Amino acid sequence: MSGERGTRRTRTFALTAAMADGQRPEGITMHSTVRTVADPKSARHIPEEWQRILALCTGSGLAVAEVSARIGMRLTPTVDLLRELVAHGLVEHSAPLTEADASNIEFLRRLRRGLERG
Amino acid sequence: MLPSVKLLIAGGFGVGKTTAVGAVSEITPLRTEEQLSEAGVGIDDLTGIEQKTATTVAMDFGRITVPEAVLMLFGTPGQERFWFMWDDLLRGALGAVVLVDTRRLERSFAAVDFFEHRRLPFVVAANCFFKQQRFTPEQIREALALKDPETPIVLFDAREEDSVRDVLLALMDHLIAIAERGQTARV
């Protein structure tokens, strides 16, 4: 999914949060990363609250928990809101670490080396 | 986007969770809130009382970006009794650090019990105030009655970045050791 910056179509009104109800929230959790994919200029018609999130999540993206803290909204409503933005093609989110990654020794070692260097 | 790695920083009230998250985080720690509905927690019979009590819990959030991932640190809320009704707290977590203050060890019992019960790997980090620690890691292990003899115990200073980083490195070593054992077991 990454590395396709700018290739994602904007799917305005393709889905609503109501339609997504009853499903798992598309893997969005407190530690998911969300990143803006829409051009904020082309999204002027959207609510101010959404625009604020788009502005926050530009660049390499932000953790859902961080978005929640920065907009002063609790986690669950923030996840609902982000799910709606994903459905509208305005932001994308990275899938959480899989079980396989979590027990992948090479990944863990790289992580440790990165942390040691920092 | 870099993969995110969720780590929990737990321990009882006043053991230095916020300080520890703040010491290593690349951003000023943030407070994230969640509302939980407390349906009969600690109450046996609610017949006729269908009303739920909503409770707001807060977590500290900090992060460390490394070339491979973003380590996301979540300082768990102090009220452990709420953890049991909050599945998302543990979901996706790679591991945890349980902070203990040896002057108030009992405040961290709940965190130890919780992670042992849920089988989330963790390390115990005992805060040393003014570089003083009256107890050895082995004494702390015994006092906490840790089930897994492999659970690392490290002494640290929650205010020192390098010291908190060492705790996270100890957690990584523990996770790597568990992964290696798992691989051996599968072969």
Side-chain angles (χ1 to χ4, degrees), chain A residues 26-84:
Chain A
E26 298 184 320
I28 301 186
T29 64
M30 63 177 88
H31 65 294
S32 298
T33 305
V34 287
R35 187 175 70 177
T36 301
V37 287
D39 176 4
K41 278 187 234 112
S42 68
R44 276 200 205 117
H45 60 285
I46 65 172
E48 250 175 62
E49 193 173 49
W50 294 19
Q51 291 187 26
R52 201 169 154 216
I53 294 176
L54 296 192
L56 271 176
C57 301
T58 50
S60 53
L62 273 196
V64 170
E66 187 164 347
V67 174
S68 156
R70 293 203 187 276
I71 65 173
M73 189 186 276
R74 291 189 180 120
L75 269 175
T76 296
T78 303
V79 168
D80 289 342
L81 185 53
L82 289 171
R83 204 189 315 172
E84 197 156 347

Side-chain angles (χ1 to χ4, degrees), chain B:
Chain B
M1 279 184 277
L2 289 171
S4 58
V5 173
K6 178 182 184 179
L7 302 176
L8 301 180
I9 311 292
F13 178 77
V15 296
K17 289 181 300 238
T18 308
T19 310
V21 171
V24 279
S25 174
E26 65 200 17
I27 55 164
T28 305
L30 298 164
R31 268 177 93 74
T32 301
E33 294 192 338
E34 180 63 308
Q35 194 164 41
L36 302 172
S37 67
E38 188 179 4
V41 171
I43 303 166
D44 293 331
D45 188 3
L46 272 181
T47 314
I49 315 169
E50 276 79 26
Q51 201 178 347
K52 289 180 185 176
T53 317
T55 306
T56 301
V57 291
M59 283 186 299
D60 295 305
F61 174 81
R63 60 173 145 86
I64 307 170
T65 305
V66 298
E68 298 74 18
V70 182
L71 298 177
M72 296 185 180
L73 309 176
F74 291 87
T76 58
Q79 316 98 307
E80 295 85 4
R81 64 200 183 97
F82 295 120
W83 297 3
F84 289 93
M85 43 196 256
W86 193 9
D87 287 336
D88 280 346
L89 182 66
L90 246 76
R91 188 169 292 141
L94 198 64
V97 175
V98 175
L99 304 186
V100 301
D101 177 345
T102 51
R103 296 169 305 182
R104 312 180 187 96
L105 210 55
E106 71 288 351
R107 290 191 180 177
S108 299
F109 287 169
V112 167
D113 291 348
F114 186 75
F115 295 138
E116 282 184 344
H117 182 247
R118 298 292 177 98
R119 297 172 182 278
L120 183 72
F122 64 95
V123 298
V124 172
N127 207 352
C128 302
F129 293 91
F130 308 106
K131 306 206 186 299
Q132 299 282 316
Q133 183 50 260
R134 287 187 293 140
F135 302 99
T136 66
E138 278 322 300
Q139 287 172 313
I140 296 169
R141 178 186 304 283
E142 215 158 290
L144 286 173
L146 295 178
K147 281 186 184 150
D148 179 0
E150 307 288 329
T151 301
I153 299 189
V154 289
L155 307 179
F156 87 121
D157 184 333
R159 297 163 305 178
E160 299 282 342
E161 180 183 353
D162 287 347
S163 185
V164 182
R165 191 181 294 272
D166 285 344
V167 172
L168 296 178
L169 289 171
L171 176 60
M172 290 311 303
D173 288 337
H174 186 44
L175 292 170
I176 291 166
I178 290 169
E180 283 169 348
R181 281 205 296 273
Q183 198 175 55
T184 315
R186 274 199 294 275
V187 168

